[in-house]
Amino acid sequence: MTSVITSRARHVAVIGLGAAGLVAVRELRREGHTVIGFEREKHVGGLWVYTDRVEPDSLSVDPDRTIVHSSIYQSLRTNLPRECMGYSDFPFVTRSSDGDPRRYPDHREVLMYLQDFAKEFKIEDMIRFETEVLCVEPSPENNRKWRVQFKSSSGVSGEDIFDAVVVCNGHFTEPRLAHIPGIESWPGKQIHSHNYRIPDPFKDQVVIVIGSQASGNDIRTDIATIAKEVHISSKMVASDSYGCYDNLRIHPTIYRAREDGSVVFRNGKVVFADAIVHCTGYKYHFPFLKTSGYVTVEDNRVGPLYKHVFPPALAPGISFIGLPFMGLQFFMFEIQSKWVASVLSGRVKLPAEDKMMEEAIAFYSKLEDLGIPKRYTHFLTDPRGNPMLGTFKPEDAVVISQSDYFNWIAKQCGCTSIERWRERLYNVAIKKVFFGGDSYRDRWDDDQLIEEVYREFAKLKPNQDCSS
């Protein structure tokens, strides 16, 4: 069901107006398309809109639960410096009056940046707020077009027909949980980080935090200020060690949970715990998307996809912005959006369906040959020796680095790729994430690089289109 591309403006729906959807709307409009954005909340910002509301099901496994979109906890700060987080022509700099001036600001500062972006480019005029998309499927009358069914918060339902749909609904709402033998009979409380906001419920308790990536590290430190003990379960350690607080201990992964309230780690250590916090990531989830099996999610691989964006059999009518995780997210959203916009206008051509499928299958085969699980399909950095993955040998080949990915897309659509300063700043920052300790956000020793960054910012003109 491959559409024939003609060089013309398209009528495009964008689902989700977080950081990905906002820049997608802008780039689509810049390319001459007419755009309608669908956002189920009252405001732009997606993930970055903080709420103290949590889901009634603390593990978020009940399919009929009331879903809370945001996974932001109150103390969250960025894990990259603001300067490398922003879009290419709209720098993320310290606000002149209000806001958080730190290089690694809190979530409120990121939301204000996104709100400023939406105002600067008049994006809100094209958004239907408080409108949930219920179904996206090929139009029964014309399978080169797409029917979008939706419902407003007031209960009014409707549908529109579009030439294309760009999916930007994010992937931080549907939690993944750790598999723990015996957990069904364990009497303690369990919660996924999606429903964590503040440490107060864990006062004077013994808490196990599963996961030692960004959210796990933040939440364990948060809880350690108030809990009796905090025990970290991590794939990256083989034996017990102590953390930054006297009441914090790091262990290997959990072997099993018991009815008496104890939890046994793989090194034999036993802890009697009151609560387990799963900081174990999220699933890709598109409940509204009906493609007759052309697009599936299997062990967190969305596929088959050409370059993480286009399903070969449905391109360019459906595309996905923001599936790859880790890395420079906002810049990735922007350059993917430029590519999608230029493909839809006909300025850039995609390969034939069979060629796209052939490349996608070859990519999946390469992952399998390297022993990389499907759930890391959209992991867009060099896997060699990365602490997040842990099990890969130095001699393993690079699957694809984010710089290679950005450069490839830039060449396709004729836009500027990642700036050298942004790449350097990211490389410094990501080492701090893994090796800089819990206070890495407040230590910076490369003022010369930051000065270079701000000299580059000074060259930008307001509303400059860097793809021109």
Side-chain angles (χ1 to χ4, degrees), residues 164-226:
V165 177
V166 183
V167 180
C168 305
N169 68 321
H171 45 86
F172 293 98
T173 297
E174 196 73 13
R176 289 173 61 93
L177 299 175
H179 172 67
I180 305 173
I183 196 65
E184 297 81 8
S185 57
W186 184 74
K189 175 185 177 182
Q190 294 185 78
I191 181 175
H192 190 275
S193 59
H194 174 62
N195 294 303
Y196 175 85
R197 297 294 183 268
I198 56 176
D200 300 46
F202 302 98
K203 182 177 174 59
D204 298 328
Q205 293 187 357
V206 176
V207 182
I208 295 174
V209 176
I210 303 176
S212 54
Q213 297 175 32
S215 62
N217 291 339
D218 286 349
I219 290 172
R220 79 183 188 192
T221 303
D222 218 14
I223 293 176
T225 62
I226 202 168

Side-chain angles (χ1 to χ4, degrees), residues 364-406:
Y364 301 153
S365 296
K366 189 173 185 179
L367 294 177
E368 186 176 355
D369 290 344
L370 291 172
I372 298 176
K374 285 183 179 179
R375 63 183 177 275
Y376 290 120
T377 295
H378 305 295
F379 183 78
L380 197 63
T381 55
D382 184 348
R384 295 180 299 175
N386 191 300
M388 176 180 168
L389 303 183
T391 59
F392 299 103
K393 302 178 181 64
E395 61 268 21
D396 288 339
V398 175
V399 176
I400 186 169
S401 72
Q402 66 171 348
S403 295
D404 291 341
Y405 183 68
F406 297 154

Side-chain angles (χ1 to χ4, degrees), residues 155-166:
V156 178
S157 299
E159 66 176 55
D160 281 333
I161 302 297
F162 294 88
D163 296 309
V165 177
V166 183

Side-chain angles (χ1 to χ4, degrees), residues 349-364:
K349 304 291 185 182
L350 289 174
E353 176 186 334
D354 59 341
K355 295 295 183 184
M356 289 191 286
M357 182 64 79
E358 183 180 310
E359 180 160 332
I361 291 173
F363 174 56
Y364 301 153

Side-chain angles (χ1 to χ4, degrees), residues 19-20 23 87 321-322 328-337:
V23 75
Y87 304 119
I321 301 296
L328 289 161
Q329 293 289 285
F330 287 20
F331 185 85
M332 179 189 68
F333 302 157
E334 181 179 2
I335 202 163
Q336 285 182 328
S337 297

Side-chain angles (χ1 to χ4, degrees), residues 78-91:
T78 66
N79 56 13
L80 293 176
R82 70 169 75 222
E83 290 83 3
C84 70
M85 283 183 61
Y87 304 119
S88 67
D89 59 348
F90 196 77

